[in-house]
Amino acid sequence: MYTSMYLTELGVKRRIWVYLPRSYSYSEKRYPVLYMQDGQNLFNPKESFSGAWEIDQFLDSQEDAGIVIGIDNGGSKRINEYNPNNHDEYGEGLGREYLRRVVTILKPFIDERFRTLPGPEDTAIAGSSMGGLISFYGGLFHPETFGAIGVLSPSFWLVPDLESDILKFDKPTHHSQRYYFYAGGRESDDLVERVSHVHSVVQSHFQCESKLHIREKGLHSEITWNKIFPGFYRWLME
């Protein structure tokens, strides 16, 4: 089951989707939490840009499902909000501030109102495309918060010096993280190459668990991410 609420504490009026596993209503246990970008595309096809992931239908079939928090994107400001760096063409990068609000405002709000397991070993962040880019930086900037990171079809093309950004970070908490990288062979000419390279750099530099999933016929679409989400989530819950 899922519901939605609006938070003005994030600096703007932003809808937040909350998926609670079927056992939440009768169990007293606490649950791991996955924070996801582009909340409009996760549950309800009527709200989505071009088809929904419908992750609630998959999660309802899983006995070990956790809580999923979907954060609506900023619409016309989506590229800026999900970009951690300024860009000559697209303007100011608001990603660092966006992540700060997720970590310092949204996560405490969720932990206070729901039975969560709040530690980094039970807190993940994930997204696709621009959402994959900002989720990756969520792992870099906040390893004390996010122990697992899903980087699906990320817009790495926006950050030409991404490797140097990675090498700037090396906290002890980075070494205990888990990364899941996905790219589709039919998305762009060099996405598979870029994602494979970043996977190798992360694995080598942080000496952490990092999985690379390449789907030869994968497209850059909600329909494809709908299909690969179950595999990602099973990896996440291992």
Side-chain angles (χ1 to χ4, degrees):
M1 60 178 176
Y2 65 85
T3 185
S4 62
M5 62 184 73
Y6 284 90
L7 282 187
T8 55
E9 290 85 355
L10 293 179
V12 293
K13 186 178 181 181
R14 185 62 53 85
R15 183 173 55 183
I16 306 298
W17 302 76
V18 180
Y19 171 85
L20 298 177
R22 295 171 66 179
S23 62
Y24 191 91
S25 61
Y26 59 81
S27 170
E28 293 300 320
K29 71 176 184 179
R30 293 184 173 273
Y31 294 82
V33 184
L34 168 61
Y35 289 85
M36 297 191 69
Q37 322 314 316
D38 294 312
Q40 297 98 321
N41 298 331
L42 301 179
F43 301 103
N44 189 340
K46 294 180 180 180
E47 298 285 347
S48 66
F49 171 69
S50 59
W53 298 27
E54 298 179 324
I55 64 174
D56 52 314
Q57 295 186 23
F58 165 73
L59 294 173
D60 281 347
S61 69
Q62 304 299 299
E63 292 186 4
D64 62 345
I67 296 171
V68 177
I69 305 300
I71 309 164
D72 274 9
N73 65 53
S76 62
K77 290 189 174 293
R78 179 175 180 267
I79 290 182
N80 305 88
E81 189 172 74
Y82 287 170
N83 189 355
N85 304 308
N86 295 336
H87 191 275
D88 290 342
E89 180 178 354
Y90 296 105
E92 183 181 10
L94 305 175
R96 296 166 192 256
E97 177 62 15
Y98 169 77
L99 289 170
R100 186 193 69 79
R101 291 176 178 178
V102 171
V103 168
T104 64
I105 298 174
L106 178 59
K107 185 178 184 299
F109 176 89
I110 296 299
D111 289 338
E112 180 181 343
R113 285 158 178 80
F114 301 97
R115 296 194 310 276
T116 69
L117 292 166
E121 65 276 8
D122 294 297
T123 306
I125 187 170
S128 63
S129 192
M130 288 298 301
L133 176 67
I134 197 60
S135 295
F136 177 70
Y137 273 89
L140 291 186
F141 293 154
H142 300 284
E144 73 290 341
T145 300
F146 302 113
I149 299 92
V151 189
L152 313 179
S153 307
S155 299
F156 283 161
W157 58 271
L158 267 177
V159 189
D161 297 326
L162 182 56
E163 182 173 347
S164 63
D165 273 1
I166 297 170
L167 297 180
K168 294 175 185 177
F169 294 90
D170 191 16
K171 295 181 179 179
T173 39
H174 282 113
H175 299 277
S176 60
Q177 288 180 310
R178 304 166 64 218
Y179 284 81
Y180 185 103
F181 292 95
Y182 165 79
R186 296 172 62 186
E187 297 194 62
S188 69
D189 293 339
D190 62 350
L191 180 64
V192 169
E193 181 181 352
R194 286 175 183 264
V195 171
S196 299
H197 179 68
V198 172
H199 153 72
S200 297
V201 173
V202 165
Q203 195 172 49
S204 173
H205 182 57
F206 293 146
Q207 294 291 301
C208 67
E209 178 185 345
S210 182
K211 177 179 176 61
L212 176 63
H213 176 197
I214 303 298
R215 191 168 187 259
E216 183 179 348
K217 296 183 179 180
L219 300 170
H220 198 82
S221 69
E222 313 299 336
I223 294 175
T224 295
W225 299 320
N226 173 305
K227 292 178 180 178
I228 66 100
F229 179 81
F232 160 66
Y233 197 80
R234 292 187 183 105
W235 168 89
L236 181 64
M237 298 299 285
E238 287 176 354

